[in-house]
Amino acid sequence: MHPDVAYRLQPHSFLDSPAFTRTLASRDNPCAARPPTEGFAINYDAEPFPVLHEQNQRIVTAPRSAFHRVPVLSRSSQPHIAEHMLRRKTPNGTLAAGYDGSSGEWADRRPASKHLLMPISSSATNEHFRPKANWKETRPPYAEGSVHHRNSSQRVQTVQDHHHDPRHVSGHFATDNAIVSPYGKSRENSSFNPGIDSVLFQGSPVHQNDRYVRGQHEPMVMQPMWPPCMGITSLNHPGPYGPYWPNGAFVPYRPAPISDTRFNPLASGLGTPETLQHRQSGLRFFPAASHTVTPHVEDTPPAHGSSNASAAAQVGMQTPTEPPPAAAAVTAIELLSRLCQESGWEWIDGMLLGGCLAYGLGDFRKALKWYTKVLSCDSNNVEAMSNTAATLLSLERRQEAEEYWLRSVRLRPSYFEAVEHLVGLYCEDHRGKEAVQLIEFVERSLQEDIVSASPTQPIQSTSLRLVAADSRNVEEHRQTTGLGNIYPRRPESTKSDSIWNEGRLEGRRWATYQPSYSIGYAIPSSDNGRLLSLIHGKGNMLYALGNNAGAARAFEDAILIGSQRQHLGIRSLIAQILTVVAQEPDWDSKSFCNKSEADEPVLLWPEAALQTSSRVFPPHGDLPGLTDVPSNMARRAGVSVVSNSLLSLAKIYQDGMSSSGATATGPRATSGVQEILALYYLSLSLQPSPSTANNVGILLASIQQPASAKWVLGSKASQVSDVPGVVPGSGIDLALAYYNYGLKLDPRHAHLYTNLGSLFKDIGQLSAAIKMYEKAVHCDGNFDIALANLANAVKDQGRISDAIEYYRRAVTANPDFAEAVCGLANALNSVCNWHGRGGVRSLGANRDRWHVGMEGMLYDGFATSSTGSGWIERVVAIVDKQLCDGEAWGKGVLHSIDLDALLQQLRLSCNRPSKQNQIYAVLRKAVQEWSDKSWEGAKVVRLVERATKRLIWQLYRSRYIVRRPGQSLDKSRPQLPATLAIPAAPTVLPFHTFTCPLLGKQIRKISQRNGLRISCSTLRAAWLPRHVYEPPSPPRPQLNVGYVSSDFNNHPLAHLMQSVFGLHDPQRVKAFCYATTASDGSVHRQQIEREAPVFYDTSTWSIDHLVSQIVKDEVHILVNLNGYTRGAKNEVFAARPAPVQMSFMGFAGTLGAEWCDYLLADKIAIPSQTLRPYRQNVDLIDQTKDGNNDNDDSQWVYGENVIFTRDTFFCCDHRQSAPDAREPQLPWAQEQKRRWKMRKDLFPHLPDDTIILGNFNQLYKIEPTTFRTWLRILSRTPKAILWLLRFPDLGEANLRETALLWVGVEVASRIYFTDVAPKHQHISRARICDLFLDTPECNAHTTAADVLWSGTPLLTFPRYEYKMCSRMAASILSGALPKTADGDRAREDLIVHSDEDYEEHAIELVTDMLYPVRGASVGIGRGRLVELRKLLYEGRWTSTLFDTRRWVGDLEMAYEKAWGNWVAGIGGDIWL
């Protein structure tokens, strides 16, 4: 893993949590395969009610909500879902407004990203736990859905136990040895994670529990909505807290013993204040409906009272918190039997009550008899149907239960008890699509009921959108969904038995209540909370199914219900939020950060954001849609649901703006950050939550505030940042404030600490970042993301051993965490720890020949019985999967846009209209062929970029070449389709491909994916103007060439190029250097600053500032000296500020991006067979023909045009800057003496006849095949030693151990290690080595130039045609040797073509070498190596490699040809 990588947890809501990312094992997902327990969330927070334990006939207390299960849905099986990848900082700089690169998860589950947005977390008073991946399952000893636990040794913990017993974990009972699920599932006790607010968890199913912050309940994003398999109850009223309990947990209404009088206008007493008081108090039954037969009761009964209500009270009904004893319940049933018998079994309410009591006693068969009697009297009694279904489910008769609930919902879609139970049943069975269809049917029916129930009632205008939301009629929906049998048909003719008979329901008239039309549904406003919870749950399920657009619409509907549809839509609500928060006089000036202008985001401090709801819904911030909800607690929970809908919607928008999101074509906020922040502000003000604070912090950290912002900081000292490198009032400053605010709410919030650490790492505060990561790990020792981030950070500090340990812990916590797997592989490789490395099988190729097993022993990867294995094979498999998944990115995007409008936008001017029409037709046909194919999104992005590039060319031609003053070109920048999200990048970065045994097409696609992400994130940036940048005026006479680099310091690039910028001929080129890092005060930085004609320190500049300066400087050619390395600012190039852009010296490989026009190379570094066949990169037609993103198996790598130099393309400034460059060249004899003296100083005890073989590369470039070759060379040359560097220290012990295993003590003892020396000493002492053995996998680059300057021969093997990094040393060596016959012979001796040749050439050269051991000639060697050394030493002042002036002249020629071709509209490669 790149040392600068820092993972953040991506924008998160509960719809990202593992409960919603498990596999959906249902008919909708036949590929799923998950344990049945996964995804169950069990809620114990409901008030208990009595249940009789069958074994010992005693009462036990079970939660009223029973075992709540959450929908378990998977995206992995969806064929066209874009991959979900973890954000991280890649070596190519900061992308997507501060966060770039995303890793695809290796497993099928959804990973987390650099930042995590979280809806919930465990209690602040509890430790975080994380389950292991393997469950030990047992079948439940009782029916699913029963409300009692047969294990008498276990007790059901109440909500108080749940939140204070640290052993209790998310709906399980804690024992000493195991965690036992109420469904009989058990797992060995380990560390567990309660309902974490994290998308990071990749292990076993996570069960949610309620969250408490400072003793106050913080509901989850998706409230526990449907307790499936739940037992029936004896009351049909909302209880003292409505459908919620005191802790705020949502508990839906249960099936009840009496008819819902809202749909029975003849029910006696319902409208009276007395009965309403009884209904709300929850202490008594309602009077029976007058159409029922009342049992005979004495006029003055001595005990039972004079009404059914009093009789009901006498049979033992008490408040839910005071369960009656079992004996009383049995007596009550006997009494009810007598009373019902007296009524002739027509007292429906009494029979319902009898069934409830029998169910509570566990006598399900008797309960079933009671309900059967009810249905025999009233076949359409939905309460009895729903209770019958619950009873059948307890008897394990699931299909029958489903049929009864279907019938109940069909008869009365507004009967939420049945709806919620049926949704729960579907979710239990992993039938998420059917659950969604059920909720949509209920929505549609209630919308239609507005008209049918009260046709004269005017419908509010704000309801029209919902009523017309789905143009399909009910009959069409019946035919196209799996729930057709429950959808009521509207008959064409009126029939007496029709449920649509003029508003009659089987003889019962619709209720006389006036439904609240303001939300668009025919329900009483008191039920708004239940409906919005259903719709919110639908949104979560749609998101889990991969339907982001549908999920967003559901969340919008839930939000608008909460606001009572006072806004025409979500855009209207957002507009109001932005309006009220931008009214500066209404805010405390010290809290309001900037005035909103145009599209600028409104930045608020946390205390100001908390006032948003009171501004939007004055005076107290109460949601108007919940004002009639019957209790404060119920309203609180409803507010929480709305808050979490806002959070989820903002999360989806944020995914669409700056990450791969759930799909490549997910919904987007039209104004980006501004709208998303508005949603977050309102969410936070409705429900203060560390999760929302975390989300806001992530978004604010990505904001590069425009220079025009007017900050109003006030005088509050706390608002002035004291963090070095943070501008007060900036987005980062506010992000820190929100992270700290979240930690005040929950000081043990591991994810907030992780994100805070990543922010510190981004601003260069590595020590502070490590402290934050350590706190996160302290809060949750198995938090894989925090562990991986901590590993990366300590690796940056050079603590490789600690980094490996943290990576191992991350992989142990989550074996499928691709970032941790790849990070561990890179860390192990960097110190040559190859135990368990395995290898990649590749018969007949040079790739990864020798593999290493778990014990560290070698085996031949070419053997027929050998297969790929180990962690290196795992890494390659991760790459394969991620690249394969990535090909589907953007598939379908052309369906979501107007193709003609897109092409019209790309339509460029042409002198001849007929030709323009012809181009348009060709383009249209090509684009149509892209539709629904792999790489569709990539091709669209490249087409937009090519059109931008072409438009700049046309502007230049019209102004300076053709000169048509009357012609006016539209300068509008071609735009990406609004529905196209930013793609993710693979876990293995382009820089890592240097040492990873990958194929050419894999390397190419990794670079393409990174380039594509940079393009999309830049083209989505708020700072990018809507018009293309003005082209520069023609050269006058010199070309303005800009060099952008983070390495103008004590860095190898500066060592090699420090003289270049002052050596340019001012008549040909004027150099503009843009340093993106601050000065380190080194001599290299000072020289570049001094000699460059124009030098800018842009280390504090934003990207848009840097781009604007480049445009202002009228740069003709912009050079990328970073490529995909740390500190790169590739967003600058993606913005296209210069007409011609190229890359060289910084990155040895393809960039695979449309924003790179040329690479500088030679025919050795880039063989012609590695070029893409189609080489024109000029106009839009070329882009449709080039095959750059075709799904083929060809191994070409380079799609950019290449400028091929006459000699080596590598620049080396040693003739100007080497330690001995200013000294006179010593004669060869004196050089030999100097060299021998240095050898004796460094190795005083080495025998005089010893031959020194050496390699001074970092150890990560050594792989098993190369090390095996070196050991074989040592074994066959007894007088040779191998000199390596402790680079890093830990690698020495590993290589010594490996050598002992492979070749024994004698050979292993001839490996010498020394410390890394300063640059000048490193170059000087390189002459001590007799032969430098290069690393074929990834060559020496700068080190090769250092060695050759010292005169030491270098043996190299360009192992791959398609990897420039493995061919660089051959190019450098060729440039160092003279162009003579002796030079040609030397090239044959030192550049080999196979591992076997490498070994044989080395042995031959070493064997031929002889050092006299006595006499005057001691130290004066003889042999071919001495001849090669003399050739290199004497030729270094005339070789092309070290002739920097020659190199600069060739470069200026390249610039002139590239500019001339651009002006003329000519494409193709350039040969100097």
Side-chain angles (χ1 to χ4, degrees), residues 885-943:
D885 293 344
E887 292 180 6
W889 175 79
K891 184 178 286 188
V893 67
L894 291 174
H895 290 310
S896 63
I897 60 176
D898 184 340
L899 180 58
D900 289 317
L902 173 66
L903 294 176
Q904 187 65 35
Q905 183 188 44
L906 303 178
R907 195 172 188 176
L908 305 177
S909 63
C910 181
N911 296 335
R912 292 177 294 175
S914 59
K915 184 177 180 180
Q916 185 170 345
N917 292 335
Q918 182 182 1
I919 293 173
Y920 184 88
V922 173
L923 275 179
R924 196 178 200 288
K925 180 180 179 181
V927 173
Q928 283 178 326
E929 291 176 353
W930 296 346
S931 183
D932 289 328
K933 293 184 175 64
S934 296
W935 296 98
E936 178 182 346
K939 291 182 178 181
V940 170
V941 173
R942 290 186 61 243
L943 186 67

Side-chain angles (χ1 to χ4, degrees), residues 1233-1347:
K1233 292 180 180 180
R1234 178 173 67 171
R1235 173 180 175 273
W1236 190 256
K1237 181 179 182 302
M1238 293 183 66
R1239 167 173 163 155
K1240 284 297 184 179
D1241 290 341
L1242 187 61
F1243 298 108
H1245 304 295
L1246 202 65
D1248 289 344
D1249 60 348
T1250 300
I1251 310 299
I1252 301 177
L1253 308 176
N1255 181 279
F1256 309 140
N1257 290 333
Q1258 294 188 56
L1259 299 182
Y1260 77 86
K1261 293 187 177 183
I1262 305 173
E1263 33 72 49
T1265 300
T1266 296
F1267 193 58
R1268 171 188 175 273
T1269 301
W1270 290 353
L1271 293 179
R1272 286 174 59 86
I1273 294 170
L1274 288 180
S1275 299
R1276 297 172 62 183
T1277 54
K1279 293 184 179 182
I1281 69 167
L1282 178 61
W1283 175 19
L1284 303 175
L1285 300 182
R1286 299 184 183 98
F1287 203 5
D1289 295 349
L1290 189 58
E1292 177 182 358
N1294 291 326
L1295 285 175
R1296 289 191 184 278
E1297 178 185 355
T1298 300
L1300 283 171
L1301 277 174
W1302 292 0
V1303 292
V1305 176
E1306 193 278 328
V1307 175
S1309 66
R1310 288 192 274 128
I1311 302 177
Y1312 285 65
F1313 285 86
T1314 62
D1315 292 330
V1316 179
K1319 180 68 176 180
H1320 66 281
Q1321 185 180 348
H1322 160 72
I1323 295 176
S1324 297
R1325 75 180 190 179
R1327 58 172 45 91
I1328 297 174
C1329 187
D1330 290 294
L1331 176 64
F1332 184 92
L1333 299 177
D1334 192 25
T1335 44
E1337 190 72 21
C1338 180
N1339 294 169
H1341 298 169
T1342 305
T1343 301
D1346 297 339
V1347 168

